[in-house]
């Protein structure tokens, strides 16, 4: 049952009731279910949404997030990318893709992570909760293996592993062991205000191919993929990389310039 799985995960990652948790709400089912359950279990949560300004899709997402926060009676912070950064995600992405060959989600992911960490720190949040589910995690792990870069999964897990730095807000994934289908069913049963449409910019054909393959697997196999990933990461041990601060924006990074500044050409 979804609630038992989430409670077990929360226990494993040692989440405290008094901690301030910012839930990254996209407007979709996964983050809405994460928010709903953390609220139900009595955690101190607030919502955070990034309005990516991807025309009607973003408007629908914003409305869903506002409705959810109203329903759950929690505070919502909205970061409007157009107001804060001068352009919507489509324009920013186009600008980056004119110089670098990168997939839509790879760019969007870096930008969103950078915003989330900085804003969560500013709001004095102890943790950021995201809606990543078992299918997402197993899929990313497999993709990293297929691409010959398993080390990219080194920071994966129900809680981010590079938690030691004062400028880095730890990210948690309460749905880490919950299959996507279970999340969808729960969201529909609770009639949560969410958008079930896929993001119009999720056009990574390789990811779609891996997802289609994953959809042919039973949930127990997907869970085995994750358990093996954890076993491997356990053997590698805690990543002992030195975190420094980006010389351009001051955010935590393992290089001289963070990925965000690198993408934005601010070296
Ligand atoms: S699916 Fe990809 S492009 Fe769409 S919001 Fe998510 S990361 Fe961004
Ligand atoms: Zn930077």
């Amino acid at each position: 049952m979804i609630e038992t799985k989430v409670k077990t995960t929360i226990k494993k990652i040692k989440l405290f009731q008094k901690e301030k948790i910012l839930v990254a709400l996209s407007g979709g089912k996964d983050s809405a279910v994460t928010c709903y359950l953390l609220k139900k279990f009595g955690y101190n949560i607030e919502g955070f949404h990034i309005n990516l300004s991807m025309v009607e899709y973003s408007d629908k997402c914003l409305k869903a997030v506002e409705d959810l926060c109203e329903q759950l009676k929690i505070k919502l912070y909205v970061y409007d990318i157009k107001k804060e950064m001068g352009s919507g995600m489509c324009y920013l992405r186009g600008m980056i893709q004119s110089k670098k060959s990168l997939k839509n989600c790879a760019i969007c992911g870096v930008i969103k992570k950078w915003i989330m960490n900085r804003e969560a720190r500013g709001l004095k949040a102890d943790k950021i909760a995201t809606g990543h589910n078992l299918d997402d995690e197993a899929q990313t792990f497999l993709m990293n293996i297929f691409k010959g870069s398993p080390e990219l999964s080194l920071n994966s897990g129900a809680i981010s592993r590079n938690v030691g730095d004062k400028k880095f807000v730890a990210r948690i994934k309460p749905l880490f062991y919950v299959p996507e289908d279970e999340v969808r069913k729960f969201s529909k049963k609770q009639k949560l205000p969410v958008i079930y449409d896929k993001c119009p910019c999720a056009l990574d054909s390789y990811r779609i191919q891996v997802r289609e393959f994953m959809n042919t697997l039973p949930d127990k196999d997907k869970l085995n993929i994750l358990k093996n990933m954890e076993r491997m990461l356990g053997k590698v041990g805690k990543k002992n990389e030195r975190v420094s601060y980006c010389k351009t924006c001051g955010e935590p990074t393992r290089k001289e310039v963070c990925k965000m500044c690198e993408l934005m050409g601010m070296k």
Side-chain angles (χ1 to χ4, degrees), residues 114-133:
W114 183 88
I115 295 172
M116 269 307 303
N117 191 63
R118 210 184 48 158
E119 297 301 307
R121 200 175 58 239
L123 292 166
K124 301 203 176 343
D126 297 295
K127 304 251 160 54
I128 297 167
T130 64
H132 294 87
N133 60 45

Side-chain angles (χ1 to χ4, degrees), residues 114 246 248-249 258 261:
W114 183 88
C246 173
T248 306
C249 71
C258 76
C261 291

Side-chain angles (χ1 to χ4, degrees), residues 68-86:
L68 179 80
C69 292
E70 200 184 316
Q71 193 177 309
L72 298 179
K73 298 188 175 37
I74 62 165
K75 204 180 219 174
L76 169 67
Y77 300 94
V78 178
Y79 181 100
D80 190 312
I81 202 168
K82 209 168 188 171
K83 278 192 203 141
E84 304 285 343
M85 301 179 82

Side-chain angles (χ1 to χ4, degrees), residues 11-263:
K11 207 169 157 195
K12 194 171 162 182
I13 59 182
K14 299 188 181 74
L15 205 57
F16 300 108
Q17 295 271 346
K18 61 177 187 338
E19 286 182 302
K20 177 166 163 177
I21 305 166
L22 210 55
V23 185
L25 294 167
S26 64
K29 64 184 187 321
D30 303 293
S31 53
V33 169
T34 304
C35 198
Y36 175 89
L37 288 176
L38 288 176
K39 172 75 181 176
K40 183 171 178 187
F41 299 156
Y43 287 94
N44 173 18
I45 59 164
E46 292 179 352
F48 184 83
H49 175 68
I50 303 176
N51 183 350
L52 297 170
S53 280
M54 297 194 297
V55 287
E56 305 97 68
Y57 180 73
S58 292
D59 296 340
K60 285 202 251 173
C61 290
L62 176 61
K63 170 82 174 68
V65 166
E66 285 172 344
D67 289 349
L68 179 80
C69 292
E70 200 184 316
Q71 193 177 309
L72 298 179
K73 298 188 175 37
I74 62 165
K75 204 180 219 174
L76 169 67
Y77 300 94
V78 178
Y79 181 100
D80 190 312
I81 202 168
K82 209 168 188 171
K83 278 192 203 141
E84 304 285 343
M85 301 179 82
S87 328
M89 180 57 77
C90 302
Y91 179 82
L92 288 175
R93 211 176 38 222
M95 192 184 79
I96 294 164
Q97 284 169 332
S98 68
K99 295 180 203 132
K100 294 175 197 281
S101 155
L102 284 169
K103 308 268 193 217
N104 288 356
C105 293
I107 296 172
C108 187
V110 167
I111 296 178
K112 286 194 297 185
K113 264 191 195 165
W114 183 88
I115 295 172
M116 269 307 303
N117 191 63
R118 210 184 48 158
E119 297 301 307
R121 200 175 58 239
L123 292 166
K124 301 203 176 343
D126 297 295
K127 304 251 160 54
I128 297 167
T130 64
H132 294 87
N133 60 45
L134 189 151
D135 289 59
D136 298 326
E137 294 299 310
Q139 183 187 311
T140 304
F141 179 60
L142 277 191
M143 283 176 70
N144 289 338
I145 296 256
F146 293 157
K147 286 183 173 169
S149 314
E151 71 282 1
L152 293 178
S153 291
L154 275 179
N155 197 27
S156 300
I159 183 162
S160 47
R161 285 153 61 94
N162 49 351
V163 290
D165 186 78
K166 64 179 189 316
K167 288 184 102 177
F168 184 79
V169 184
R171 282 190 296 270
I172 57 165
K173 299 168 184 168
L175 303 182
F176 194 74
Y177 298 104
V178 186
E180 177 157 31
D181 205 37
E182 216 173 315
V183 181
R184 185 180 297 105
K185 282 185 188 141
F186 184 82
S187 164
K188 289 197 168 159
K189 193 166 162 219
Q190 299 300 329
K191 298 192 174 55
L192 296 179
V194 304
I195 302 298
Y196 288 97
D197 311 348
K198 286 263 172 253
C199 166
C201 299
L203 304 172
D204 179 347
S205 57
Y206 188 58
R207 187 173 275 276
I208 293 169
Q209 231 177 314
V210 176
R211 190 183 304 134
E212 279 169 5
F213 162 68
M214 291 270 310
N215 287 343
T216 64
L217 301 178
D219 288 342
K220 73 171 185 10
D221 286 0
K222 294 177 197 168
L223 188 60
N224 275 337
I225 295 174
L226 273 201
K227 293 213 162 134
N228 281 315
M229 173 180 101
E230 290 183 311
R231 206 169 297 147
M232 277 169 58
L233 295 181
K235 288 209 172 101
V236 176
K238 196 170 159 58
K239 234 183 151 191
N240 208 12
E241 275 184 303
R242 198 174 49 86
V243 173
S244 57
Y245 302 113
C246 173
K247 69 172 189 186
T248 306
C249 71
E251 284 299 299
T253 176
R254 290 184 198 103
K255 296 188 196 158
E256 215 172 295
V257 174
C258 76
K259 278 193 206 160
M260 169 74 168
C261 291
E262 198 185 316
L263 284 184

